[in-house]
Amino acid sequence: MFNKIIANSLPLMPKKFVWLFSKRYIAGETIDENIAISKKLNNSGILVTVDLLGEFIHTIDEAEINKNEYLGIVRRFTREKILGNFSIKPTSFGLLIDAEKCYEFVREVIVEAAKQNNFVRIDMEDSTCTSIEIALFERLKTEFPTNVGIVFQSYLKRTFSDIENLVVRTHKPESSLNIRLCKGIYVEPPELAYTNFHEVRHHFLKDLELMFQQGVYVGIATHDQFLVKEAFELINKYKVAKDKYEFQMLYGVTPSLRDSIVADGHKMRIYVPYGKDWFGYCSRRIKENPKMVTDIVKAVFIKG
Ligand SMILES: Cc1cc2nc3c(=O)[nH]c(=O)nc-3n(C[C@H](O)[C@H](O)[C@H](O)COP(=O)(O)OP(=O)(O)OC[C@H]3O[C@@H](n4cnc5c(N)ncnc54)[C@H](O)[C@@H]3O)c2cc1C
């Protein structure tokens, strides 16, 4: 109850105060701050994926600004020799305003990344975007077989068959599918999504098993200790090679679990968000997961 009250009153609080809550999860407002954090993570043997935070956009000009910012990020990552790739949200590239322009903008970023043999992941957004984001991915994968990936959410009832269908359509030995699997963060209706915690976990493991069976490269994106343990069981069961999977976590979340996975010699990638719109991002995350407030209060008041 306390957590929910704090989460709901966030918009009323001074931004500086909310920053105390949020700085653990955000690299900062600028690309320089992101580079500094990414270098630190790289030095501890961890890869990164960068995310430019953007509130919902209303015009295609705003989408173009985001695209240009990403082009700058790709060039900067290359210059600074950061070991990392790029995560983008198609709605911030104008998906719901002009889908064709969005395709062109995302393509431009992939062209720049591909010049460096790098990779762009299309994040998955809410269920109104699922089909169009899969279609966008498939179109881009035809042209850039190894430079683009997608995300699936185990809470969606359609996900298992989406993966099966995608494997049939696009999975080739010379350009393996690269999929991030996560539980899913948006609030979805029960007709479309499993809402029970254990069901979501169960389907996460079913989806993961399917992808291992099919030789898909998987980004196992979770902080759920149970799922991490079960993922290791599947890796052992299918003798999955170390170059066919990686673990992925969000910046600032469960660092001790993260470090133990790295210490055991597995590839780990951290999702590092930055940008001027950190306030909206953090308010949404905290509302979605009010339990975060407990972590934050501890971080602010106990660890100073
Ligand atoms: C790298 C990465 C990329 C993602 N990309 C997408 C995407 O494209 N689309 C999408 O819908 N979702 C995405 N997500 C979010 C994901 O869907 C889940 O909502 C989120 O990871 C929480 O699920 P969990 O598996 O960690 O399990 P949970 O059961 O939610 O969490 C397990 C434990 O981790 C801790 N924890 C989890 N999240 C937080 C947090 N934010 N702050 C503090 N502690 C936390 C808590 O201690 C919790 O008990 C991504 C997640 C990661 C890690």
Side-chain angles (χ1 to χ4, degrees):
M1 181 60 92
F2 168 73
N3 290 345
K4 271 206 172 137
I5 292 169
I6 300 253
N8 285 328
S9 41
L10 273 182
L12 308 172
M13 294 183 189
K15 244 179 142 181
K16 269 195 182 153
F17 183 66
V18 181
W19 180 241
L20 286 178
F21 286 43
S22 308
K23 62 182 178 190
R24 188 176 148 192
Y25 302 100
I26 307 289
E29 290 199 353
T30 65
I31 183 66
D32 287 333
E33 289 165 293
N34 189 297
I35 296 275
I37 299 282
S38 295
K39 280 189 176 165
K40 250 194 205 163
L41 290 165
N42 280 178
N43 288 338
S44 352
I46 295 173
L47 305 166
V48 297
T49 185
V50 60
D51 168 54
L52 172 67
L53 296 172
E55 278 298 284
F56 301 108
I57 61 159
H58 302 286
T59 66
I60 208 69
D61 291 345
E62 290 172 295
E64 186 159 19
I65 292 170
N66 286 338
K67 180 265 291 177
N68 288 335
E69 177 93 18
Y70 263 97
L71 288 175
I73 296 170
V74 175
R75 290 178 193 131
R76 204 48 212 286
F77 260 45
T78 308
R79 260 205 322 277
E80 305 270 356
K81 298 190 170 52
I82 301 294
L83 300 173
N85 59 33
F86 315 98
S87 289
I88 61 161
K89 290 191 174 51
T91 57
S92 73
F93 278 61
L95 184 74
L96 302 176
I97 302 167
D98 181 340
E100 193 56 28
K101 263 269 168 272
C102 169
Y103 160 76
E104 285 167 24
F105 288 160
V106 177
R107 188 183 171 280
E108 254 188 82
V109 177
I110 298 177
V111 167
E112 194 62 33
K115 279 188 206 159
Q116 315 300 330
N117 225 353
N118 210 328
F119 178 87
V120 175
R121 165 105 44 210
I122 297 174
D123 282 354
M124 187 55 77
E125 301 179 84
D126 68 68
S127 59
T128 60
C129 298
T130 311
S131 295
I132 19 180
E133 292 186 347
I134 294 172
L136 174 70
F137 162 71
E138 283 195 59
R139 190 172 170 195
L140 290 160
K141 185 166 164 64
T142 313
E143 190 180 355
F144 305 97
T146 57
N147 305 102
V148 62
I150 183 99
V151 179
F152 281 106
Q153 299 149 320
S154 72
Y155 67 6
L156 283 191
K157 293 181 176 171
R158 57 180 283 173
T159 288
F160 191 85
S161 60
D162 277 343
I163 298 170
E164 281 183 318
N165 294 336
L166 199 61
V167 165
V168 170
R169 288 196 301 266
T170 65
H171 193 44
K172 309 210 172 58
E174 69 281 8
S175 66
S176 163
L177 271 170
N178 184 324
I179 296 176
R180 174 193 297 151
L181 180 66
C182 63
K183 288 182 180 173
I185 191 100
Y186 302 89
V187 179
E188 299 289 359
E191 309 84 79
L192 300 180
Y194 305 108
T195 48
N196 176 285
F197 181 74
H198 298 286
E199 253 184 327
V200 176
R201 270 181 168 172
H202 171 74
H203 286 278
F204 188 103
L205 293 172
K206 265 187 78 179
D207 299 337
L208 184 61
E209 183 157 21
L210 171 66
M211 291 195 278
F212 283 156
Q213 284 166 341
Q214 296 295 335
V216 171
Y217 184 99
V218 195
I220 308 163
T222 183
H223 319 88
D224 184 335
Q225 201 148 7
F226 169 80
L227 287 182
V228 169
K229 187 178 133 290
E230 293 297 311
F232 280 130
E233 297 283 324
L234 289 174
I235 287 166
N236 291 335
K237 178 174 172 188
Y238 291 99
K239 301 189 174 34
V240 185
K242 285 220 162 125
D243 62 355
K244 292 298 284 182
Y245 68 91
E246 63 187 45
F247 285 89
Q248 298 186 351
M249 293 187 177
L250 301 175
Y251 178 61
V253 178
T254 58
S256 55
L257 179 59
R258 173 193 78 193
D259 292 344
S260 73
I261 295 172
V262 176
D264 285 341
H266 303 278
K267 205 193 271 186
M268 171 66 70
R269 187 179 304 276
I270 296 297
Y271 188 100
V272 188
Y274 85 96
K276 292 203 168 44
D277 286 323
W278 59 267
F279 185 79
Y281 172 87
C282 288
S283 313
R284 274 203 305 281
R285 290 262 152 168
I286 292 169
K287 271 193 188 157
E288 274 148 7
N289 184 1
K291 276 192 288 176
M292 270 173 76
V293 171
T294 312
D295 285 352
I296 290 159
V297 171
K298 270 195 221 152
V300 173
F301 295 104
I302 301 178
K303 294 178 199 144

